[in-house]
mmCIF file of all heavy atoms in Angstrom:
data_model
loop_
_atom_site.group_PDB
_atom_site.id
_atom_site.type_symbol
_atom_site.label_atom_id
_atom_site.label_comp_id
_atom_site.label_asym_id
_atom_site.label_seq_id
_atom_site.Cartn_x
_atom_site.Cartn_y
_atom_site.Cartn_z
ATOM 1 N N ASP A 99 101.809 37.345 -20.260
ATOM 2 C CA ASP A 99 101.329 38.035 -18.982
ATOM 3 C C ASP A 99 101.675 39.515 -19.085
ATOM 4 O O ASP A 99 102.801 39.822 -19.653
ATOM 5 C CB ASP A 99 102.181 37.566 -17.719
ATOM 6 C CG ASP A 99 102.015 36.076 -17.463
ATOM 7 O OD1 ASP A 99 100.962 35.493 -17.885
ATOM 8 O OD2 ASP A 99 102.937 35.537 -16.854
ATOM 9 N N THR A 198 113.677 33.910 -18.634
ATOM 10 C CA THR A 198 112.542 34.694 -18.008
ATOM 11 C C THR A 198 112.543 36.093 -18.543
ATOM 12 O O THR A 198 112.310 37.062 -17.819
ATOM 13 C CB THR A 198 112.715 34.654 -16.529
ATOM 14 O OG1 THR A 198 113.960 35.073 -16.160
ATOM 15 C CG2 THR A 198 112.242 33.378 -15.967
ATOM 16 N N GLY A 199 113.011 36.303 -19.811
ATOM 17 C CA GLY A 199 113.078 37.605 -20.405
ATOM 18 C C GLY A 199 111.677 38.275 -20.380
ATOM 19 O O GLY A 199 110.686 37.573 -20.388
ATOM 20 N N THR A 200 111.699 39.570 -20.408
ATOM 21 C CA THR A 200 110.537 40.405 -20.137
ATOM 22 C C THR A 200 110.901 41.762 -20.587
ATOM 23 O O THR A 200 112.058 42.142 -20.592
ATOM 24 C CB THR A 200 110.179 40.340 -18.617
ATOM 25 O OG1 THR A 200 109.991 38.983 -18.224
ATOM 26 C CG2 THR A 200 109.061 41.300 -18.329
ATOM 27 N N THR A 218 105.309 40.185 -20.965
ATOM 28 C CA THR A 218 106.320 39.047 -21.066
ATOM 29 C C THR A 218 105.587 37.790 -21.594
ATOM 30 O O THR A 218 104.428 37.656 -21.531
ATOM 31 C CB THR A 218 106.849 38.634 -19.674
ATOM 32 O OG1 THR A 218 107.949 37.764 -19.837
ATOM 33 C CG2 THR A 218 105.805 38.035 -18.772
ATOM 34 N N GLY A 220 106.980 35.208 -20.332
ATOM 35 C CA GLY A 220 107.174 34.375 -19.169
ATOM 36 C C GLY A 220 108.290 33.339 -19.325
ATOM 37 O O GLY A 220 109.065 33.376 -20.261
ATOM 38 N N LEU A 221 108.366 32.510 -18.283
ATOM 39 C CA LEU A 221 109.445 31.463 -18.276
ATOM 40 C C LEU A 221 109.178 30.553 -19.457
ATOM 41 O O LEU A 221 108.156 29.968 -19.646
ATOM 42 C CB LEU A 221 109.294 30.701 -17.038
ATOM 43 C CG LEU A 221 110.198 29.411 -16.705
ATOM 44 C CD1 LEU A 221 111.702 29.878 -16.697
ATOM 45 C CD2 LEU A 221 109.899 28.686 -15.543
ATOM 46 N N ARG A 228 101.103 28.520 -15.898
ATOM 47 C CA ARG A 228 102.060 29.156 -14.980
ATOM 48 C C ARG A 228 101.882 30.706 -15.168
ATOM 49 O O ARG A 228 102.033 31.197 -16.233
ATOM 50 C CB ARG A 228 103.474 28.681 -15.222
ATOM 51 C CG ARG A 228 104.525 29.236 -14.191
ATOM 52 C CD ARG A 228 105.233 30.497 -14.973
ATOM 53 N NE ARG A 228 106.372 30.999 -14.186
ATOM 54 C CZ ARG A 228 107.035 32.107 -14.504
ATOM 55 N NH1 ARG A 228 106.591 32.791 -15.615
ATOM 56 N NH2 ARG A 228 107.958 32.571 -13.833
ATOM 57 N N GLY A 230 103.863 34.289 -13.772
ATOM 58 C CA GLY A 230 104.930 34.878 -13.173
ATOM 59 C C GLY A 230 104.575 36.132 -12.440
ATOM 60 O O GLY A 230 103.436 36.416 -12.048
ATOM 61 N N ASP A 231 105.672 36.950 -12.256
ATOM 62 C CA ASP A 231 105.442 38.206 -11.586
ATOM 63 C C ASP A 231 104.874 39.365 -12.467
ATOM 64 O O ASP A 231 104.217 40.354 -11.930
ATOM 65 C CB ASP A 231 106.805 38.707 -10.963
ATOM 66 C CG ASP A 231 107.799 38.875 -12.049
ATOM 67 O OD1 ASP A 231 107.886 38.060 -13.064
ATOM 68 O OD2 ASP A 231 108.559 39.879 -11.897
ATOM 69 N N SER A 232 105.144 39.200 -13.778
ATOM 70 C CA SER A 232 104.831 40.330 -14.669
ATOM 71 C C SER A 232 103.347 40.915 -14.594
ATOM 72 O O SER A 232 103.235 42.138 -14.809
ATOM 73 C CB SER A 232 105.179 39.953 -16.140
ATOM 74 O OG SER A 232 106.585 39.582 -16.089
ATOM 75 N N SER A 250 110.220 44.855 -12.945
ATOM 76 C CA SER A 250 111.254 43.843 -12.913
ATOM 77 C C SER A 250 111.317 42.935 -14.023
ATOM 78 O O SER A 250 110.237 42.729 -14.691
ATOM 79 C CB SER A 250 111.032 43.075 -11.586
ATOM 80 O OG SER A 250 112.124 42.173 -11.381
ATOM 81 N N THR A 251 112.430 42.323 -14.310
ATOM 82 C CA THR A 251 112.574 41.227 -15.121
ATOM 83 C C THR A 251 113.437 40.128 -14.456
ATOM 84 O O THR A 251 114.093 40.403 -13.409
ATOM 85 C CB THR A 251 113.401 41.604 -16.371
ATOM 86 O OG1 THR A 251 114.658 42.055 -16.072
ATOM 87 C CG2 THR A 251 112.687 42.786 -17.216
ATOM 88 N N GLY A 252 113.317 38.956 -14.928
ATOM 89 C CA GLY A 252 114.044 37.815 -14.280
ATOM 90 C C GLY A 252 113.078 36.848 -13.645
ATOM 91 O O GLY A 252 111.947 36.772 -14.021
ATOM 92 N N ARG A 253 113.630 36.091 -12.601
ATOM 93 C CA ARG A 253 112.847 34.989 -12.041
ATOM 94 C C ARG A 253 111.637 35.481 -11.307
ATOM 95 O O ARG A 253 111.752 35.950 -10.170
ATOM 96 C CB ARG A 253 113.736 34.180 -11.187
ATOM 97 C CG ARG A 253 113.128 32.873 -10.598
ATOM 98 C CD ARG A 253 114.006 32.077 -9.751
ATOM 99 N NE ARG A 253 113.255 31.276 -8.871
ATOM 100 C CZ ARG A 253 112.580 30.128 -9.016
ATOM 101 N NH1 ARG A 253 112.676 29.645 -10.260
ATOM 102 N NH2 ARG A 253 111.941 29.555 -8.158
ATOM 103 N N GLY A 254 110.406 35.300 -11.948
ATOM 104 C CA GLY A 254 109.281 35.876 -11.351
ATOM 105 C C GLY A 254 108.827 35.252 -10.064
ATOM 106 O O GLY A 254 108.289 35.957 -9.256
ATOM 107 N N GLU A 255 109.211 34.051 -9.827
ATOM 108 C CA GLU A 255 108.683 33.367 -8.618
ATOM 109 C C GLU A 255 109.281 34.129 -7.428
ATOM 110 O O GLU A 255 108.656 34.237 -6.388
ATOM 111 C CB GLU A 255 109.233 31.854 -8.560
ATOM 112 C CG GLU A 255 108.355 30.921 -9.421
ATOM 113 C CD GLU A 255 108.422 31.130 -10.916
ATOM 114 O OE1 GLU A 255 109.283 31.849 -11.430
ATOM 115 O OE2 GLU A 255 107.547 30.504 -11.684
HETATM 116 N N1 LIG B 1 109.661 37.810 -14.952
HETATM 117 C C1 LIG B 1 109.008 37.074 -15.916
HETATM 118 C C2 LIG B 1 108.602 35.811 -15.382
HETATM 119 O O1 LIG B 1 109.121 35.207 -14.502
HETATM 120 O O2 LIG B 1 107.581 35.348 -15.884
#
Side-chain angles (χ1 to χ4, degrees):
D99 298 336
T198 48
T200 297
T218 190
L221 177 65
R228 176 265 188 188
D231 60 323
S232 301
S250 184
T251 60
R253 184 178 154 81
E255 280 71 10

